[in-house]
Amino acid sequence: MRSETLHVHTGGRPVVHDLTRECQAFVSSYAGEYDGLLHVFVPHATAGIAILETGAGSDDDLLAALDDLLPADDRWRHRHGSRGHGRSHVMPALVPPYATVPVVGGRLALGTWQSICLVDLNVDNPDRDVRLSFLGG
C-alpha cells in the first residue's frame, strides 16, 4: 500500500473542495497502469469526503442542503468555537470522512460527472489534511 497526505487550505467559509486532480496525480504516480483501490480519508471530526458533480451547481446545492439540515445556530449541545460549530461535528454522519474509488489501468474509475471532494463546514479550522492510500490489486 502507498500513502501520502495532502494539505488543503479551505478558508473561513463552508466549502466543497475538488480533490480529483490531486487524487489522479497520486494514483498515476504509484499505480502506473495497474488496478486497485484509492481510499481517501480526512482525519478530522468536522469534515467529510463526497463524490459528486462539481462546477454545475451541485457543490453549492450540497452546501445549501447541509445548511438546511444542519443550521449554523445555537441548537447544538457541542458549543465551543463559532456559532453553530456543533453542526460541523454532526456532518460526518451525513458526509462520511472517507471514500473508496476503483482504479482501473492507473485511472480513477469515476463516472463522467463525478469528482472527489472535501466537504468542510467548519469555519474555525481553515487547514485540513487528507490521507490518500493506494492499494494495488
Side-chain angles (χ1 to χ4, degrees):
M1 183 172 83
R2 304 285 186 170
S3 191
E4 75 178 42
T5 301
L6 297 175
H7 304 288
V8 180
H9 181 72
T10 57
R13 63 182 179 82
V15 66
V16 174
H17 181 88
D18 192 341
L19 300 169
T20 309
R21 284 187 190 150
E22 293 93 333
C23 290
Q24 182 57 59
F26 169 76
V27 165
S28 295
S29 69
Y30 290 112
E33 295 184 15
Y34 294 100
D35 298 345
L37 296 172
L38 171 68
H39 188 74
V40 183
F41 176 72
V42 58
H44 298 280
T46 58
I49 301 294
I51 297 177
L52 73 154
E53 178 181 12
T54 59
S58 297
D59 35 356
D60 291 332
D61 289 342
L62 175 58
L63 291 175
L66 289 172
D67 197 43
D68 287 346
L69 290 169
L70 306 170
D73 59 22
D74 292 328
R75 76 183 67 202
W76 308 102
R77 291 182 182 168
H78 186 107
R79 292 184 186 247
H80 75 80
S82 64
R83 185 172 189 255
H85 178 77
R87 78 187 191 133
S88 296
H89 287 273
V90 173
M91 191 210 55
L94 303 174
V95 180
Y98 59 87
T100 302
V101 178
V103 175
V104 178
R107 305 277 312 155
L108 297 171
L110 293 168
T112 302
W113 304 111
Q114 289 181 316
S115 296
I116 302 168
C117 299
L118 170 65
V119 180
D120 189 2
L121 301 181
N122 184 354
V123 299
D124 296 328
N125 185 358
D127 296 297
R128 298 300 184 164
D129 292 328
V130 179
R131 165 78 50 193
L132 305 179
S133 300
F134 176 72
L135 180 62

